[in-house]
Every structure is written in C-alpha cells, then in structure tokens.
Amino acid sequence: MLLIHNRRMDVAGILEAASLLVPEGVAGENDITVSDIWEYLAYDEWDVALDLLEELGDEWTAPTGFW
C-alpha cells in the first residue's frame, strides 16, 4: 500500500517571514507599510498581503529569501 501525504503549505507563515525581511521605514505607494501587511494577514487576506509585499519589494533591494 502506497501512502501519499499532502503537506499543506503554510502560506501565512511564508508571508509573515517575508514581511520580517522588510526594513523598518520602507513604505510603498500610498504609504503602505509592513503594519498594513500584518493587518491583512490577521484576517487571512493573503492575496492582498502578497500584493502589498510585492509593492514593498520594489521600494528596496530585497534579498533572494524575500522572493
């Protein structure tokens, strides 16, 4: 008998880890900051949090681990 285990990806954890890499003081268009991202993560709005992280990633030289 072959058992296949599906592991769920911890999307929220990945987004949280990426947000921790953003330097303090980095702000995107409309003054979006990491605090805004955390608010969306708190309500499981992962797609919005990802969009905002992408926006912040354009505002500084993000390390490879960020992407």
Side-chain angles (χ1 to χ4, degrees):
M1 175 184 226
L2 176 63
L3 293 176
I4 299 174
H5 296 282
N6 289 330
R7 294 183 184 174
R8 290 188 170 186
M9 185 180 294
D10 182 11
V11 175
I14 292 169
L15 294 173
E16 289 171 7
S19 70
L20 292 172
L21 295 173
V22 178
E24 191 173 323
V26 171
E29 195 173 303
N30 298 321
D31 294 323
I32 298 298
T33 66
V34 173
S35 295
D36 298 305
I37 293 167
W38 281 89
E39 280 189 46
Y40 285 104
L41 289 174
Y43 292 101
D44 292 331
E45 294 287 339
W46 300 339
D47 54 335
V48 178
L50 177 60
D51 289 341
L52 296 179
L53 275 169
E54 285 182 295
E55 184 179 321
L56 288 181
D58 293 337
E59 300 299 322
W60 61 291
T61 305
T64 305
F66 177 82
W67 298 112

